[in-house]
Amino acid sequence: MAINPRNRGPLRTLSVLVLLILGLYGLLGAVSTWGTAQRTPKLGLDLEGGTQLILAPKVVGNQQISEGQVQKAVDIIRARVDGSGVAEAEVTTQSTNIVISLPGTPDKATIASLQKSSQLRMRATLVEASGAPTPLPTTSGQPTAPPTKKPTGTVTGIPKATGTPTGKATTAPRSGFPTALAAATTPAPTSTVASTTTAKPAAPTGTAKPKDPSDLAWVTPELEKTFTALNCADPKSVEAIVDDPAKPMVTCSSDGQVKYILGPAEVFGTEIKNATSGQKQTQSGSTGEYEVRLDFNAAGTKSFCDLTSRIVSLPSPRNQGAIVLDNRVISNPVPQAALCAGNASITGNFTAASSKVLADQLKFGALPLSFGLLTQDDISPTLGGDQLRYGLLAGAIGLLLVVAYSLFQYRALGLVTVSSLVIAALLTYGIVTLFGWSYGFRLTMAGVTGLIVSIGITADSFIIYFERVRDEVRDGRALKAAVETGWARARRTILISDAVNFLAAIVLYALAASNVRGFAFTLMLTTLVDVVVVFLFTHPLLSILANTRFFGEGHKWSGLDPKRLGARTVTYAGRGRVTIAARRA
């Protein structure tokens, strides 16, 4: 059967919509089968429940905690939560404690990333040894040891990688971003001690004033005693590490295999302008290794330049610049030249997820206080399944009322409204579900309310279009012409109406907080879906129906019967005169 030439254009438009729906649900099926997505929308705290974390600040001595410090910590933790892709979370205060309510069940990495201070500092390495509490060998008051291959710091919670021995690390320029640091990660036997072979005499009583942060005069007998006693395998010993930026510190690598004496802090996390993550790039392409890229401000650029310029010519291990995060050395790389471009990269055994977590922590800033996990409890949904069922029932009742009105007012033409609402529902469901997978979007009761309100907005667009077509029929036009003329008049009104709704939703989303933003988001989404459905489905479908006998000839049940609509008739009255009269049913 040949296709009516008048229907070819509308059919092409409908085929675009069909491909869009197939692509949407094909992607959803793929990421739910082979990926981590689920085939239903994710629900928020009020509908599903989740986990509540209470973080308590760690007070050192007589430290006083101010309200401003707690509020700053809340802002940083909220930014970390949003940056990790967890939507509809709640961050509040309880005295000096911080209460974090997360939907669902967060993994250990997410919990750890929220409570870490993320206080990043860069220090010069003075002495390096095995993490066990072995004595520090001395010769004439100088800390010495045979040169050995040694591990550098690794990222917390990530297995140690193997790579280039320290002192032989190479740096390769990346496209648009010079590599600043190259980490050496060759493991060493635990029974050996790695230190410098040409060290300056240590000050026996701390009377000699150090010349710079790399001077071994910082290594006092008291510091040696602390270093010797430190056991990186003992959690209590590691917990007692004190990080005073103005003084040298004794600390461990993040994997506990190596311990260090480090000079005073020279580069601080507050001097980081931006931090991003991704695969390391070279001139020949991606290496597949993940890194965290740092951009320093002016002060950080100078400090980093001074640090790398000084240590580049020192013997091992003093040619290493330790990157200390939350009192642990996460990397101890060897720069091959002075790095003064204002950027750097931290490499190690990162994954895509762990590199993003670290980049977000550094980008959003360090917490003004250190926090510990006080309690972790499961919380039940505040509204629960009953309220969700009631909300869906209300939506179903509203939908049925819209369908009943459309069928009563527009008769068979009302079926176009019903089919358009079905298409809109298919698109909205697929998009909301995919957003839950890709952006962590969770549907709350406020969001469900936004979806219910959208039924009226979508129906309003159909009513505008249908009434414009019926007006053209009343003016005596044939249905085919009335559909096109009515569409030309209706589409501008529809676009203006949807634009007003969309702008109102944007303002509400920008100014509101908590669950109200869920309502605004679903309102924005369904407004865009309404435009897609009207342009790609409702208008093409009505154009095709206008070429059928049932609608084109104005059957009394079509909803476009000229007699029922009171269409005007034009009669020739002679002598060049015509009369126009309205038909009566």
Side-chain angles (χ1 to χ4, degrees):
M1 182 176 178
I3 297 177
N4 188 332
R6 295 190 181 91
N7 293 337
R8 288 176 180 172
L11 285 174
R12 282 196 295 267
T13 304
L14 287 175
S15 65
V16 172
L17 179 64
V18 171
L19 290 176
L20 177 63
I21 295 175
L22 290 177
L24 181 66
Y25 279 88
L27 176 60
L28 178 58
V31 296
S32 60
T33 302
W34 297 290
T36 58
Q38 58 186 50
R39 299 186 180 183
T40 56
K42 291 183 177 180
L43 302 180
L45 275 169
D46 55 350
L47 299 178
E48 183 186 32
T51 302
Q52 184 183 76
L53 310 172
I54 299 181
L55 304 182
K58 296 179 179 179
V59 180
V60 179
N62 296 323
Q63 180 184 5
Q64 298 295 321
I65 300 175
S66 67
E67 183 180 348
Q69 288 177 314
V70 175
Q71 188 56 51
K72 182 179 179 182
V74 168
D75 294 339
I76 293 174
I77 289 176
R78 185 178 288 119
R80 289 182 185 179
V81 171
D82 294 340
S84 65
V86 179
E88 300 298 339
E90 297 178 1
V91 183
T92 58
T93 59
Q94 187 182 80
S95 183
T96 57
N97 295 338
I98 296 180
V99 181
I100 307 172
S101 300
L102 302 173
T105 304
D107 54 24
K108 293 181 179 179
T110 299
I111 296 174
S113 68
L114 296 179
Q115 68 186 84
K116 283 185 176 179
S117 172
S118 295
Q119 198 66 260
L120 182 138
R121 296 179 177 123
M122 295 185 185
R123 297 170 177 261
T125 301
L126 302 179
V127 179
E128 184 177 71
S130 168
T134 52
L136 179 67
T138 59
T139 303
S140 302
Q142 302 179 23
T144 59
T148 63
K149 295 179 181 179
K150 50 196 175 297
T152 63
T154 57
V155 180
T156 303
I158 307 236
K160 212 164 131 60
T162 58
T164 314
T166 300
K168 298 182 180 179
T170 58
T171 57
R174 293 183 287 106
S175 176
F177 191 92
T179 300
L181 300 176
T185 54
T186 303
T190 57
S191 59
T192 61
V193 177
S195 181
T196 179
T197 56
T198 58
K200 296 181 182 180
T205 60
T207 55
K209 186 176 180 180
K211 296 179 181 178
D212 55 57
S214 295
D215 195 335
L216 285 178
W218 292 103
V219 185
T220 62
E222 293 77 10
L223 204 62
E224 285 190 34
K225 183 177 179 181
T226 304
F227 179 79
T228 302
L230 178 62
N231 182 4
C232 292
D234 181 10
K236 292 183 178 180
S237 182
V238 174
E239 188 69 22
I241 293 175
V242 177
D243 184 1
D244 186 338
K247 300 178 180 179
M249 73 177 297
V250 176
T251 187
C252 300
S253 62
S254 57
D255 60 2
Q257 298 298 311
V258 186
K259 59 184 178 181
Y260 305 92
I261 299 179
L262 307 176
E266 299 182 66
V267 185
F268 299 85
T270 54
E271 297 172 336
I272 295 175
K273 183 169 57 176
N274 190 27
T276 58
S277 63
Q279 290 190 351
K280 187 175 180 179
Q281 301 291 325
T282 64
Q283 292 179 343
S284 57
S286 173
T287 64
E289 179 185 18
Y290 285 92
E291 65 179 355
V292 177
R293 298 181 285 270
L294 308 178
D295 290 326
F296 296 106
N297 59 20
T301 299
K302 183 180 184 304
S303 299
F304 190 62
C305 179
D306 292 343
L307 171 64
T308 55
S309 299
R310 186 183 66 252
I311 67 175
V312 69
S313 59
L314 294 177
S316 177
R318 293 164 61 208
N319 62 341
Q320 300 173 83
I323 301 173
V324 183
L325 181 70
D326 293 332
N327 300 356
R328 310 292 186 275
V329 176
I330 64 170
S331 184
N332 202 19
V334 180
Q336 286 196 313
L339 305 170
C340 302
N343 42 42
S345 69
I346 304 175
T347 57
N349 197 19
F350 285 115
T351 64
S354 63
S355 61
K356 183 181 185 303
V357 167
L358 179 56
D360 286 343
Q361 289 173 339
L362 299 179
K363 178 169 62 177
F364 297 128
L367 296 178
L369 300 166
S370 294
F371 288 86
L373 183 61
L374 187 62
T375 62
Q376 177 179 342
D377 301 306
D378 294 332
I379 54 176
S380 59
T382 55
L383 296 177
D386 289 341
Q387 293 295 329
L388 178 59
R389 284 192 293 271
Y390 293 150
L392 294 177
L393 179 60
I397 292 174
L399 181 60
L400 288 175
L401 290 175
V402 170
V403 170
Y405 172 80
S406 297
L407 294 176
F408 173 77
Q409 179 69 17
Y410 300 108
R411 304 195 180 187
L413 190 60
L415 295 175
V416 177
T417 301
V418 175
S419 56
S420 297
L421 288 172
V422 171
I423 296 298
L426 283 173
L427 288 172
T428 302
Y429 184 90
I431 294 172
V432 168
T433 305
L434 280 175
F435 273 8
W437 164 70
S438 58
Y439 295 104
F441 174 73
R442 289 181 176 269
L443 195 60
T444 62
M445 197 62 211
V448 173
T449 305
L451 296 179
I452 295 173
V453 171
S454 70
I455 296 175
I457 295 175
T458 305
D460 184 53
S461 299
F462 305 151
I463 292 172
I464 292 173
Y465 182 25
F466 294 161
E467 288 300 327
R468 290 289 186 270
V469 173
R470 284 155 67 106
D471 285 344
E472 296 299 322
V473 173
R474 289 188 184 97
D475 288 340
R477 293 183 186 274
L479 181 59
K480 296 174 185 178
V483 167
E484 296 306 319
T485 305
W487 172 245
R489 296 175 57 192
R491 64 187 176 192
R492 183 177 179 182
T493 305
I494 292 172
L495 287 174
I496 292 174
S497 175
D498 283 341
V500 171
N501 289 331
F502 189 77
L503 288 174
I506 288 178
V507 173
L508 185 62
Y509 185 86
L511 300 181
S514 189
N515 289 339
V516 179
R517 301 185 74 186
F519 171 82
F521 180 81
T522 53
L523 191 59
M524 283 190 289
L525 175 63
T526 51
T527 300
L528 293 176
V529 169
D530 175 48
V531 174
V532 172
V533 171
V534 171
F535 276 75
L536 298 185
F537 182 77
T538 308
H539 172 55
L541 181 60
L542 195 56
S543 298
I544 292 173
L545 294 178
N547 294 316
T548 63
R549 288 187 59 186
F550 182 80
F551 285 93
E553 295 180 1
H555 191 278
K556 64 180 182 179
W557 289 104
S558 68
L560 295 170
D561 180 11
K563 292 183 179 180
R564 182 173 178 273
L565 295 176
R568 300 172 182 178
T569 58
V570 180
T571 305
Y572 181 68
R575 295 183 180 182
R577 294 179 299 159
V578 295
T579 59
I580 301 177
R583 290 182 180 176
R584 297 186 181 275

